[in-house]
Amino acid sequence: MTTYIDFRSDTVTKPTGAMLEAMMHAKIGDDVFGEDVSVNELERLAASMFGKEGALFCPSGTMTNQIAIKCHTQPGDEVICDADAHIYQYEGGGIAVNSGCSVKLLNGDRGRIDSTKVAEAIQPDDVHRARTSLVCVENTSNRGGGSCYDFEELKNIKQVCDENNLAFHIDGARLFNAIIAKNETPKQYGEIFDSISICLSKSLGCPVGSLLLGNTDFIKKARRVRKVFGGGMRQAGFMAAAGIYALQNNIQRLSKDHENAKAIAEVLNDASFVSLVLPVETNIIIFETKGITAKELVAKLKEKNILGYAIAPQRVRLVLHLDTTNEMVAKTIEVLKRLM
Ligand SMILES: *Cc1c(COP(=O)(O)O)cnc(C)c1O
């Protein structure tokens, strides 16, 4: 069997021996009855890290986002987000299906919106208009190439939300990447967001799982919506144990993925087949191809046992993660240099 260097996504990681060990020894119960000791512990741990009152363990980040949107809105409301946002691009039209809301898309800077654009996008209080009720940001931004918000800008957006009575949600599928890259703390985020979604299944290396964080009333409502969405799990403690392990062991190491991503990007910057590399701030590299389509380049890399992802006709994405070793990075750099 060929072993690939897999940069398609940070979702491809497999649990390490130590994580599997933690999973095997998990204390479990029926979580729909609230009796799974490990799920309860994971939810308490995550909530306390972010200084939030509660948390809800869910099967996916799509579900945590969709539950949050459902909880913050009524049918007919409008949600403000960036045009590249995962909640709009990659959640199957869920905002319309699950919540009956319309979306106001903003053209941000590499996936990041700002307080001026948000303020302009809020609908006036007029029977002709949808009622704006929620602002969602994504940090890091996936389609923005792992770009991170300046925390001051998030505070500015929060102020606009407060002034206009809007809820503020963050899709933090890779929030820990941003926190490590910008030397921030989870509690900063807990202070300004009404709800926070984080993925355990991405750069933190868990096989499955995401968490939704918020205050007690919000989480109570979210738990009901999770049940309606079919996301109530039974002995989920095996997965929660992986989550606890990840929150305790896999956050600091993210800086290594960021350094390795920068090293690969540096080589791509000089490559003849690349016209542009988006600034690399975290574990994602997005670059534009020249003289070759993204699909053709991805196929060429695959011949060398390196997997990437064509996200647009001329755009390739590479994502670094827990299973990316320094040797794989060295090999990739060698292959890229020879491709020039
Ligand atoms: C991966 C991802 C999600 C959630 O994806 P799931 O596959 O449903 O867990 C949400 N937002 C962003 C930005 C993501 O990259």
Side-chain angles (χ1 to χ4, degrees), residues 60-62 65 86 91 138 142 171 173-174 199 202:
S60 73
T62 298
N65 282 332
H86 192 281
E91 298 187 4
E138 185 175 310
N142 171 24
D171 175 357
R174 298 183 180 85
C199 286
K202 298 238 161 106

Side-chain angles (χ1 to χ4, degrees), residues 84-140:
D84 272 340
H86 192 281
I87 57 165
Y88 173 72
Q89 292 275 352
Y90 297 131
E91 298 187 4
I95 298 174
V97 175
N98 299 316
S99 298
C101 290
S102 62
V103 188
K104 185 83 156 191
L105 298 176
L106 304 184
N107 288 313
D109 169 30
R110 282 185 286 130
R112 296 163 301 182
I113 57 180
D114 63 56
S115 57
T116 310
K117 287 200 177 99
V118 170
E120 285 166 5
I122 297 168
Q123 300 276 18
D125 183 8
D126 175 330
V127 290
H128 298 86
R129 307 291 196 133
R131 193 182 72 104
T132 306
S133 56
L134 172 66
V135 176
C136 293
V137 293
E138 185 175 310
N139 202 20
T140 67

